[in-house]
């Protein structure tokens, strides 16, 4: 028996041995179960994609507690941040009176008191703060006129027809 | 095609209680079922699953040596196939195309599984194996191992298979266990026939080393 023939015989014996693995069979009834499970998953998937976008998000959150916790934390952080931002400029709020109405302008005092031109490139003198009632709007529109430091107030920079505010 | 879809719908609605005069799903060929499935007919796709799930499951089981993993991967393969069905042009048969999806999915899964511990979860051997001539030959003391127990042999075979790389294991599974031709394997693995032959040769050489105790001695 030459080497080639021996090798062929070995290969054949191995092939037969490996073919025994073909006798490993899944549990009885597994095939039917598998097909129905796949179809059920496809149907669920189809129904899920039929739902509105917001409802899908809500369902995702209810099935994934970790995701809902993260979203809740983000929402809480945003609310806290918003509250801080809303409270912070209240110290600089200044009340103006014009035509019997009073206005509160957040941040106006900071502009007025600040003399350090290095902190900001623009400075707003208190005398140029203007406010006007625009047509039938219930809320007055506040239009601060900005001026570069040291440049002085040009008469053209004042909006026409608006009363000059004096704090 | 609309006629087929209508027939499928009627067939589906009429249920088994009424004798169906329309074409039965089992009578339709793959191309018709694929076209109906592309139009969203789950009944047609169900028939395709029933036709091929056993072969795909068997391949994935021999690749993973784990029943649960093979089950998950088979489900996932068919779901992906259904979702990608609109892109199926019919260049290859539906069977080959789905096989390719399943095989790629499994190879990716096995690459990830290398990094974590796993265990063999083997299916039982069927009753016919007791009368299998190769097993009878093994038990008749021709091997150095002497008396061979079926479960021990099953364990050793699976362990030896897991020693092979994913591509070599797939080649052996498709050829020696599933009985596919080199040409079919080359289509599934998207390589030429020569590569399939060389992979098979190399994989068998490795397996001979692992299973020397269970092979007849010259």
């Amino acid at each position: 028996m030459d080497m080639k023939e021996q090798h062929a015989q070995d290969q054949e014996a191995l092939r037969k041995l490996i073919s025994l693995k073909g006798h490993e069979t899944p549990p009885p009834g597994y095939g039917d179960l598998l097909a129905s499970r796949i179809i059920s998953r496809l149907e669920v998937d189809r129904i899920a994609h039929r739902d509105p976008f917001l409802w899908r998000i809500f369902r995702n959150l209810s099935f994934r507690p970790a995701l809902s916790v993260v979203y809740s934390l983000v929402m809480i952080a945003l609310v806290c941040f918003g509250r801080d931002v809303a409270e912070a400029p209240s110290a600089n709020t200044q009340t103006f009176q014009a035509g019997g109405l009073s206005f509160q302008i957040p941040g106006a005092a900071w502009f007025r008191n600040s003399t350090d031109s290095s902190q900001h490139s623009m400075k707003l003198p208190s005398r140029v703060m203007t406010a006007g009632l625009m047509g039938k709007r219930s809320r007055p529109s506040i239009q601060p006129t900005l001026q570069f430091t040291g440049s002085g107030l040009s008469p053209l920079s004042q909006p026409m027809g608006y009363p000059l505010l004096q704090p | 095609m609309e006629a087929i879809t209508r027939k499928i719908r009627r067939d589906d609605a009429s249920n088994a209680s009424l004798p169906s005069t329309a074409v039965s799903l089992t009578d339709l060929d793959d191309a018709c079922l694929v076209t109906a499935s592309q139009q969203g007919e789950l009944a047609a796709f169900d028939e395709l699953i029933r036709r091929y799930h056993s072969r795909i499951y068997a391949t994935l089981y021999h690749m993973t040596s784990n029943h649960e993993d093979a089950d998950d991967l088979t489900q996932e393969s068919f779901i992906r196939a259904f979702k990608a069905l609109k892109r199926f042009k019919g260049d290859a048969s539906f069977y080959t195309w789905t096989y390719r999806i399943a095989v790629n999915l499994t190879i990716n899964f096995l690459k990830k599984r290398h990094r974590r511990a796993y265990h063999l979860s083997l299916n039982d051997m069927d009753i016919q194996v007791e009368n299998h001539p190769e097993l009878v030959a093994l038990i008749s003391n021709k091997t150095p191992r002497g008396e061979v127990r079926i479960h021990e042999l099953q364990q050793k075979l699976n362990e030896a298979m897991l020693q092979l790389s994913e591509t070599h294991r797939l080649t052996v599974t498709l050829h020696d266990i599933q009985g596919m031709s080199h040409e079919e394997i080359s289509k599934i693995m998207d390589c030429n026939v020569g590569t399939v032959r060389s992979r098979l040769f190399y994989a068998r050489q490795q397996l001979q080393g692992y299973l020397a105790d269970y092979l007849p001695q010259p």
Side-chain angles (χ1 to χ4, degrees):
Chain A
M1 192 185 294
D2 64 346
M3 286 282 284
K4 203 172 177 180
E5 202 177 330
Q6 177 63 42
H7 179 75
Q9 273 187 2
D10 288 349
Q11 292 266 307
E12 186 58 20
L14 182 71
R15 197 192 60 74
K16 285 176 180 172
L17 183 63
I18 295 166
S19 70
L20 285 174
K21 264 182 71 63
H23 288 278
E24 291 177 27
T25 50
Y30 170 75
D32 291 333
L33 269 177
L34 180 78
S36 3
R37 268 187 292 171
I38 293 169
I39 294 297
S40 306
R41 277 180 65 180
L42 286 171
E43 276 172 350
V44 166
D45 199 48
R46 188 181 276 187
I47 292 164
H49 279 86
R50 223 181 279 159
D51 289 347
F53 176 69
L54 282 174
W55 177 241
R56 267 186 275 158
I57 289 180
F58 180 73
R59 199 179 36 232
N60 251 346
L61 290 178
S62 58
F63 280 117
R64 294 177 188 168
L67 199 65
S68 43
V69 167
V70 169
Y71 280 155
S72 310
L73 289 175
V74 168
M75 289 301 287
I76 290 166
L78 279 173
V79 167
C80 291
F81 177 74
R83 196 195 58 193
D84 286 351
V85 167
E87 282 177 357
S90 62
N92 290 324
T93 302
Q94 195 161 1
T95 309
F96 295 92
Q97 300 251 332
L101 295 169
S102 69
F103 303 96
Q104 285 198 336
I105 304 177
W110 181 84
F111 273 108
R112 188 165 172 260
N113 298 331
S114 174
T115 51
D116 185 7
S117 60
S118 65
Q119 286 180 0
H120 47 87
S121 59
M122 287 186 290
K123 188 180 175 185
L124 183 68
S126 61
R127 287 196 305 118
V128 299
M129 292 301 294
T130 59
L133 295 171
M134 300 291 288
K136 294 178 181 175
R137 283 186 190 173
S138 58
R139 197 161 55 91
S141 169
I142 309 301
Q143 294 193 342
T145 306
L146 300 177
Q147 181 196 18
F148 286 102
T149 310
S151 66
L153 179 64
S154 159
L156 290 173
S157 64
Q158 287 189 36
M160 297 293 284
Y162 296 139
L164 195 64
L165 291 178
Q166 288 295 340
Chain B
M1 192 59 240
E2 276 182 23
I4 293 168
T5 311
R6 271 204 304 278
K7 278 174 188 172
I8 290 167
R9 281 191 182 137
R10 196 166 51 193
D11 215 23
D12 208 23
S14 64
N15 214 333
S17 56
L18 295 170
S20 173
T21 51
V23 177
S24 168
L25 281 174
T26 48
D27 296 339
L28 292 173
D29 63 354
D30 281 6
C32 290
L33 291 172
V34 166
T35 316
S37 303
Q38 282 173 331
Q39 292 171 359
E41 284 298 333
L42 284 178
F45 194 68
D46 184 49
E47 176 58 25
L48 286 170
I49 295 170
R50 283 173 202 280
R51 280 184 194 181
Y52 301 118
H53 72 79
S54 57
R55 275 186 275 180
I56 288 180
Y57 167 82
T59 304
L60 303 191
Y61 168 75
H62 295 309
M63 289 286 288
T64 57
S65 293
N66 188 299
H67 169 68
E68 289 78 23
D69 289 344
D71 179 37
D72 289 346
L73 288 166
T74 310
Q75 285 189 44
E76 194 58 36
S77 305
F78 277 109
I79 286 167
R80 285 195 186 192
F82 184 76
K83 286 179 180 170
L85 210 54
K86 284 196 167 60
R87 294 196 296 274
F88 177 67
K89 298 280 189 293
D91 303 332
S93 67
F94 172 78
Y95 172 56
T96 310
W97 182 72
T98 313
Y99 232 111
R100 220 179 280 165
I101 292 175
V103 159
N104 288 333
L105 196 68
T106 308
I107 288 175
N108 287 337
F109 168 81
L110 289 171
K111 279 176 184 166
K112 285 178 194 163
R113 198 176 73 169
H114 267 306
R115 291 193 284 272
R116 58 183 170 85
Y118 62 92
H119 66 285
L120 297 179
S121 159
L122 302 177
N123 289 327
D124 291 334
M125 289 273 195
D126 61 24
I127 302 162
Q128 291 168 353
V129 75
E130 302 277 355
N131 304 319
H132 199 275
E134 272 69 48
L135 187 70
V136 173
L138 274 172
I139 293 169
S140 61
N141 288 339
K142 282 184 185 171
T143 59
R145 198 77 183 182
E147 190 185 334
V148 177
R149 289 188 190 133
I150 292 173
H151 290 295
E152 183 193 335
L153 180 63
Q154 186 190 8
Q155 187 89 8
K156 285 289 168 195
L157 277 172
N158 280 286
E159 281 172 5
M161 287 287 282
L162 287 175
Q163 301 292 322
L164 302 176
S165 72
E166 287 85 18
T167 46
H168 288 110
R169 200 184 314 159
L170 178 64
T171 316
V172 171
T173 301
L174 295 178
H175 190 268
D176 290 345
I177 305 174
Q178 304 282 74
M180 284 188 187
S181 67
H182 293 117
E183 286 74 21
E184 278 179 296
I185 299 170
S186 70
K187 279 181 194 163
I188 289 167
M189 296 184 76
D190 203 17
C191 60
N192 60 44
V193 178
T195 310
V196 174
R197 285 182 203 278
S198 72
R199 279 178 184 167
L200 197 58
F201 178 80
Y202 183 76
R204 279 180 180 166
Q205 270 196 325
Q206 277 190 295
L207 284 174
Q208 261 183 330
Y210 298 130
L211 298 167
D213 286 354
Y214 298 90
L215 289 169
Q217 297 300 300

